[in-house]
Amino acid sequence: MAASEGPLKGVKVLDLSRILAGPTCTQLLGDLGASVIKIENPATGGDDTRQWGPPYVEDAEGNRSDLSAYFMSSNRNKKSVALDIASPEGQAEVRRLASHADILIENFKPGGLAKYGLDYATLSRELPSLVYCSISGYGQTGPNASKPGYDLMAQGYGGIMSLTGDPEGTPMKVGVGIADVMCGMYACVGILAALRHRDLTGEGQQIDLALVDSQVAWLINEGVNYLTSGNVPQRRGNGHPNIVPYEVYATRDGHVILAVGNDSQFRRFCGFIEKPELSDDPRFSTNPARLESRDALNAVLRPALKALDTDEVIAGLESLKVPVGPVRTLDQVFASDQVAARQMQITMQAAPGKVQLIGNPLNLSRTPVTYRSAPPACGADTQAVLNAENPFED
């Protein structure tokens, strides 16, 4: 296999999903070389996120396109086919495309595709090797299966909002649609596992994935903290539930992130702020003790760090191998030499003009990701795909 083809070259994906979770998954598969056909409803102008702006890409004359920044974040390396799946003709075309596909991914309400004959039970009888991934708010089973699900609701129902935000403030969502994104990543893992099974046995299967389930799964240490202790975790702002000091501290001219992971780092840190006695104080000498005395320790650390400049703290602690870092705004992030070196900002040519996108973080030494096509206009590939004998050919 040539390195430029990608590890999933030849894998064919029929994408009936929209918004963020499903498109995140299929973009990742596309970046890895899979051929992805995205089905969009022409009556609504396509994927809902095409209207989630501004900002939008504009053409050379300043006319707004249907490429919102939100849509572009998760829809490169795909062909867009506009089909009305409520019509018999649209349903027949989707079934035809599915007959060529290895994977179908959808995020309709459970049972929502049955009336079109595009549900897993129906298609699996015709296409027993098809890997069929269903994403929904609460899953295909359970008392909440019929309820709609969005990222914000998943963050609330699944508990992450109860852990996020200022201790004295209101519950807070994460700043991006992280429940959707993580669900999309779980979907990608599940699909690749199901493909492995299909390749070994010829047998397809359905992947039933819920936004809420995936959000509960990534409660990680706080979830298991509760299951182990029975104590409901409280919001700590930027504080860590199991490590102290591990949070954001104000400096004279900004903020720094301090992440002291062990006692030897803590001793070096105390030397830097010219308070070596803290590391010998039994209240602070070990991490369990610092957890018990979090407030007392922070009462000393906050004024000490507030008296120093951000750059001074970062340079000093980095020289002592104490984990420390800045809090950057997005203009600083994308202007950084690190982002440039890691190719985390890319430029692609879309129909209206050049667009700036976030790169894929996977670096595979033999089969790297590829950026073959920019996010498409709604229906841009309809005729080419529907008229093709092999619709998934690039």
Side-chain angles (χ1 to χ4, degrees):
M1 177 183 288
S4 62
E5 291 181 333
L8 297 184
K9 176 70 174 180
V11 172
K12 300 177 286 293
V13 181
L14 182 57
D15 184 3
L16 273 65
S17 71
R18 59 230 186 264
I19 313 295
L20 189 56
T24 294
C25 171
T26 52
Q27 176 170 274
L28 181 51
L29 294 172
D31 286 356
L32 291 169
S35 297
V36 182
I37 293 176
K38 180 182 180 73
I39 304 300
E40 302 193 68
N41 185 352
T44 61
D47 190 310
D48 304 50
T49 61
R50 289 186 183 275
Q51 307 303 318
W52 289 8
Y56 297 92
V57 176
E58 296 180 349
D59 64 19
E61 286 73 42
N63 299 310
R64 194 188 92 179
S65 73
D66 65 353
L67 297 180
S68 70
Y70 200 118
F71 175 82
M72 291 196 300
S73 72
S74 55
N75 283 288
R76 65 170 168 254
N77 286 336
K78 302 176 186 181
K79 297 176 181 177
S80 173
V81 172
L83 283 177
D84 178 10
I85 67 170
S87 70
E89 296 79 13
Q91 295 158 23
E93 287 293 352
V94 171
R95 281 193 290 272
R96 184 182 75 89
L97 293 172
S99 71
H100 289 272
D102 300 292
I103 301 155
L104 185 151
I105 182 167
E106 57 90 7
N107 64 346
F108 285 75
K109 292 180 183 179
L113 288 176
K115 60 186 175 182
Y116 305 133
L118 301 176
D119 56 310
Y120 174 69
T122 301
L123 288 182
S124 64
R125 290 195 293 269
E126 305 171 18
L127 306 168
S129 65
L130 182 66
V131 172
Y132 190 109
C133 181
S134 297
I135 295 175
S136 59
Y138 295 88
Q140 303 295 305
T141 60
N144 291 342
S146 63
K147 292 184 178 181
Y150 292 90
D151 176 272
L152 182 60
M153 275 69 134
Q155 289 196 41
Y157 195 93
I160 194 66
M161 283 179 66
S162 74
L163 307 177
T164 306
D166 187 273
E168 304 303 320
T170 61
M172 189 69 62
K173 73 177 182 67
V174 179
V176 297
I178 189 64
D180 273 337
V181 172
M182 285 299 298
C183 187
M185 294 178 71
Y186 277 114
C188 193
V189 172
I191 284 169
L192 294 178
L195 277 182
R196 171 68 171 163
H197 176 76
R198 191 282 310 270
D199 291 345
L200 292 174
T201 68
E203 180 183 52
Q205 61 184 295
Q206 184 179 25
I207 301 162
D208 170 10
L209 190 57
L211 281 178
V212 169
D213 291 354
S214 62
Q215 199 266 265
V216 171
W218 55 263
L219 289 173
I220 312 296
N221 58 303
E222 280 285 57
V224 179
N225 283 346
Y226 165 71
L227 294 175
T228 301
S229 69
N231 298 321
V232 177
Q234 303 300 306
R235 291 195 303 279
R236 296 183 177 88
N238 290 309
H240 195 285
N242 301 106
I243 307 172
V244 174
Y246 192 109
E247 59 180 281
V248 176
Y249 290 90
T251 61
R252 184 156 46 205
D253 60 347
H255 294 85
V256 293
I257 299 168
L258 183 63
V260 175
N262 57 53
D263 298 336
S264 63
Q265 290 175 358
F266 183 68
R267 284 192 293 273
R268 298 196 297 275
F269 167 70
C270 292
F272 170 75
I273 61 171
E274 299 182 348
K275 295 185 181 295
E277 70 278 3
L278 292 177
S279 61
D280 296 321
D281 189 319
R283 296 176 298 166
F284 312 134
S285 58
T286 67
N287 186 65
R290 292 193 291 275
L291 279 170
E292 291 292 327
S293 305
R294 182 194 301 264
D295 292 343
L297 179 60
N298 276 332
V300 178
L301 299 190
R302 287 196 172 109
L305 290 165
K306 183 69 173 175
L308 303 173
D309 290 335
T310 301
D311 290 345
E312 178 185 3
V313 175
I314 291 174
L317 291 181
E318 282 183 343
S319 70
L320 297 173
K321 307 299 183 186
V322 175
V324 65
V327 179
R328 287 182 157 181
T329 55
L330 295 196
D331 56 332
Q332 295 170 323
V333 170
F334 287 107
S336 72
D337 52 3
Q338 184 68 20
V339 162
R342 300 291 291 177
Q343 297 179 314
M344 287 306 299
Q345 179 178 347
I346 63 171
T347 302
M348 298 191 76
Q349 182 67 44
K354 289 184 178 180
V355 296
Q356 302 296 317
L357 303 174
I358 299 173
N360 190 305
L362 292 173
N363 288 280
L364 285 72
S365 63
R366 297 297 298 276
T367 54
V369 302
T370 59
Y371 307 116
R372 303 179 305 284
S373 60
C378 181
D381 306 289
T382 302
Q383 293 307 312
V385 168
L386 298 186
N387 293 334
E389 182 177 345
N390 184 350
F392 285 92
E393 278 188 347
D394 290 330

